[in-house]
Amino acid sequence: MTSTTSTMMDVPLTIDLIVDRAERWMGDGEVVSRRPDKRLTRTTYRAVVERARRLARALIGAGIARGDRVATLMWNHSEHLEAYFGIPLAGAVTHTLNLRLHPDEIAYVASDAGDRIVIVDDVLVPLLDKVIAAGGRFERVIVVGNPGDHEPYEAFLAGAPDAALPLLAETDPLATCYTSGTTGKPKGVVYSHRSTLLHTLVAALPDALDLSRGDTLLPVVPMFHVNAWGLPYVAAMTGAKLVFPGPHLDPPSLLDLLAGERVTVAAGVPTIWLGIREAMDAAPDRWKLMPGLRMIVGGSAAPEQLIRDFDRLGMTLLHAWGMTEMSPLGLVSRVPPELADADEATRYRIRARQGVPPPLVDLRIRNEAGDVPRDDKTSGEILCRGPWIAGSYFHGAAPEKWTTDGFFRTGDVARIDQHGFVQLTDRIADLIKSGGEWIASQELENALMGHPAVREAAVIGVPHPKWSERPVALYVLKPGATASADELRAFLAARFPKFWLPDAFEEIDAIPRTSAGKFRKTELRQRYQGHFAPR
Ligand code: AMP
């Protein structure tokens, strides 16, 4: 007899699977938080889950219904973790507001998402007041820490009724994040229980982020930025100890915490690690870090030089790529076994690439001619499909971001080598069109950041009367270093076709950044738009 159905249980992939396990089997796992006054507080997964359940019941008591949005305006700490679990356990959706946005923008996303309640850190109440003055509307404001005139979080938890928690479906929404909106208005991405669970499982794999119970994880990446890259869920699933930095993100504070808590894995954008390297260079004997400390880096390209520098310090940078729409994991770069014995230059080149997709992500690089060959020359846009990749935006915004065959258009341009390693070359919006030919700005800036005197560099397209656009390089030098424009030009000339070489090299004090630490090239383009204008 042939069977047409499986005999397996149909267990929904919902967050309570992680939460219950963290409580029952990983209960003693430690969660450490640094507070605004720099004090460290310590709790356990057992206590976090117990309080998260209380938060869920309190929210239900406050009238929060299935699918309602509850906002957080918080730094990384254990109460934010309680919200990560407690809000979805109530059947509601966590909306992590990005505290680095302008109050007008926070008000916009809060109203677009329809947030009903906001849980806010006491130190962020002044910001919330500005958000409310800018039109942000919340039925209730619940404050963690010193409540002032508002409702205290602890009292809200203490008043939780004896309500039953809802049965969750795996397709239920669990959290929402907004895209950073460098082009147009921010757009909402709504993660489901299922998408989050699958992302969590795969992110922990050895060839992905490689996290397990023996690790101590410090997410520098904010919990309001793509759910801290999903790491809090991964930590709770594996039982890894969690260390939260609170608002103290300056390099010495982070280094104290990394050393003091014997952190084994940390995660943040390249700027964080640039700052850490400089602090360690300035005081080489001050910090005793765990040997082999791994640092996950993403959000912008990790300069190859940074990877080399940290190796010399006995620390390993792991380069990953992703985006809000992808939960975020899309590529990770680890040297494959067939290249383990390759020369040093090859291995560093591989590690500085964005890498290969993890399981369940179908990633293509496509141009007008179709999927690009693995020649490391032909470039196209990265397209993705997978169970943790957005299939639409909230309210159905920007449907043109999806191909007719169901792939998400990332807006990132890349090429791929014979080993299958993807190299990002630019954002489509940042590509420079000069005399009908394309120039990839990120490739130029990555190369410039390999110059020993250059701390950071951004290359932008500037309107030009003859060529339509020409590249201009803006750079920040390392403290005490010097480099002339001619020297930098000669440095690039060895690597790129002549027409790619920027027409101008300008030293600037700092490169403007977005709330997520990416270069704000729109601002630079505005600043330099008249550079080639006929006088
Ligand atoms: P966000 O949605 O704010 O996380 O931004 C996602 C975008 O950041 C991607 O589309 C890329 O353009 C950029 N990005 C993320 N990771 C990397 C990386 N490792 N290298 C270069 N760009 C990156």
Side-chain angles (χ1 to χ4, degrees):
M1 203 177 95
T2 53
S3 163
T4 53
T5 54
S6 92
T7 62
M8 292 296 110
M9 295 183 187
D10 189 12
V11 174
L13 302 178
T14 50
I15 196 73
D16 46 337
L17 296 179
I18 289 180
V19 172
D20 291 351
R21 179 169 180 277
E23 182 184 41
R24 290 175 57 203
W25 301 99
M26 307 283 151
D28 293 331
E30 218 184 346
V31 179
V32 181
S33 312
R34 179 164 254 174
R35 302 297 169 178
D37 62 3
K38 288 217 148 182
R39 221 168 17 101
L40 290 178
T41 58
R42 292 173 193 279
T43 184
T44 60
Y45 281 118
R46 186 177 300 108
V48 165
V49 171
E50 197 269 318
R51 284 164 59 86
R53 287 217 183 85
R54 236 186 297 157
L55 172 61
R57 287 190 276 109
L59 289 169
I60 291 169
I64 289 294
R66 226 176 159 133
D68 281 352
R69 269 76 62 202
V70 176
T72 62
L73 187 61
M74 294 200 254
W75 292 102
N76 292 10
H77 49 54
S78 60
E79 288 83 358
H80 210 165
L81 189 65
E82 288 165 17
Y84 262 45
F85 297 145
I87 296 168
L89 287 178
V93 183
T94 315
H95 180 194
T96 49
L97 294 169
N98 180 346
L99 57 91
R100 296 214 178 97
L101 295 179
H102 190 276
D104 291 352
E105 262 182 300
I106 303 179
Y108 170 81
V109 296
S111 111
D112 191 73
D115 298 338
R116 292 186 56 191
I117 291 182
V118 61
I119 309 175
V120 56
D121 281 351
D122 52 5
V123 290
L124 295 170
V125 168
L127 171 62
L128 184 70
D129 287 342
K130 289 189 192 146
V131 172
I132 291 169
R137 292 281 167 270
F138 305 95
E139 291 164 31
R140 280 167 90 162
V141 174
I142 295 162
V143 179
V144 174
N146 178 0
D149 299 336
H150 295 288
E151 194 174 343
Y153 179 72
E154 293 303 327
F156 187 65
L157 290 198
D162 215 5
L165 299 183
L167 205 61
L168 302 165
E170 65 175 23
T171 48
D172 282 350
L174 155 138
T176 180
C177 276
Y178 275 68
T179 59
S180 35
T182 44
T183 48
K185 287 265 185 228
K187 295 180 281 290
V189 174
V190 187
Y191 309 106
S192 66
H193 282 261
R194 175 188 156 85
S195 73
T196 305
L197 236 72
L198 291 172
H199 183 267
T200 306
L201 279 170
V202 170
L205 289 178
D207 284 337
L209 305 182
D210 187 18
L211 279 153
S212 60
R213 193 173 183 179
D215 279 313
T216 296
L217 172 70
L218 190 156
V220 183
V221 50
M223 291 169 84
F224 54 78
H225 192 117
V226 212
N227 300 322
W229 298 344
L231 292 168
Y233 304 116
V234 181
M237 180 188 77
T238 57
K241 172 177 164 182
L242 258 176
V243 180
F244 288 123
H248 302 289
L249 305 183
D250 60 290
S253 297
L254 286 175
L255 277 159
D256 286 345
L257 200 56
L258 288 166
E261 295 301 317
R262 302 174 64 80
V263 170
T264 61
V265 184
V269 292
T271 331
I272 293 287
W273 306 123
L274 271 172
I276 295 270
R277 184 194 63 191
E278 282 167 9
M280 290 181 79
D281 284 347
D285 300 321
R286 187 165 155 195
W287 291 283
K288 296 266 169 298
L289 300 173
M290 288 283 289
L293 170 68
R294 285 126 63 206
M295 296 159 298
I296 303 164
V297 57
S300 318
E304 184 180 319
Q305 191 56 44
L306 195 63
I307 301 177
R308 287 176 178 265
D309 290 347
F310 273 119
D311 273 2
R312 274 194 285 279
L313 295 166
M315 300 154 75
T316 309
L317 273 183
L318 175 69
H319 195 194
W321 166 91
M323 49 203 308
T324 307
E325 292 88 336
M326 299 180 58
S327 300
L329 199 55
L331 290 166
V332 184
S333 205
R334 291 180 182 277
V335 177
E338 61 272 25
L339 291 177
D341 297 325
D343 57 279
E344 192 184 272
T346 305
R347 283 184 282 124
Y348 278 116
R349 247 199 327 274
I350 287 282
R351 286 177 57 196
R353 285 176 169 256
Q354 280 69 20
V356 299
L360 313 193
V361 172
D362 182 359
L363 183 141
R364 310 288 171 98
I365 302 178
R366 231 182 251 171
N367 63 19
E368 320 74 59
D371 286 5
V372 302
R374 295 188 166 192
D375 60 4
D376 212 16
K377 288 197 191 76
T378 319
S379 60
E381 182 178 7
I382 303 182
L383 308 180
C384 289
R385 262 185 100 226
W388 55 80
I389 295 166
S392 63
Y393 288 117
F394 196 41
H395 303 312
E400 69 282 1
K401 289 287 286 181
W402 285 267
T403 64
T404 46
D405 58 346
F407 283 81
F408 172 67
R409 295 184 209 268
T410 65
D412 282 339
V413 183
R415 50 191 159 76
I416 186 162
D417 72 6
Q418 66 192 105
H419 307 289
F421 279 70
V422 173
Q423 170 72 58
L424 239 82
T425 55
D426 224 340
R427 294 279 304 155
I428 289 181
D430 295 334
L431 279 171
I432 300 165
K433 193 151 203 188
S434 171
E437 299 286 343
W438 292 108
I439 298 173
S441 67
Q442 270 189 34
E443 290 222 78
L444 288 167
E445 57 205 34
N446 287 346
L448 267 180
M449 286 191 268
H451 188 283
V454 176
R455 183 179 194 269
E456 289 181 292
V459 174
I460 52 166
V462 172
H464 190 282
K466 179 164 177 200
W467 301 107
S468 108
E469 274 188 331
R470 285 298 298 154
V472 167
L474 295 324
Y475 61 93
V476 180
L477 289 174
K478 288 185 184 157
T482 53
S484 67
D486 284 349
E487 192 182 331
L488 294 177
R489 175 169 244 278
F491 183 74
L492 291 182
R495 296 172 171 72
F496 295 101
K498 195 149 172 281
F499 81 94
W500 276 50
L501 302 182
D503 283 12
F505 290 79
E506 307 258 333
E507 187 185 343
I508 56 176
D509 293 337
I511 297 178
R513 292 179 182 283
T514 68
S515 64
K518 297 177 210 298
F519 293 166
R520 194 187 286 281
K521 290 200 180 175
T522 40
E523 185 177 329
L524 289 172
R525 281 194 285 263
Q526 266 163 14
R527 219 189 276 174
Y528 286 87
Q529 65 180 348
H531 194 80
F532 300 118
R535 283 162 221 273

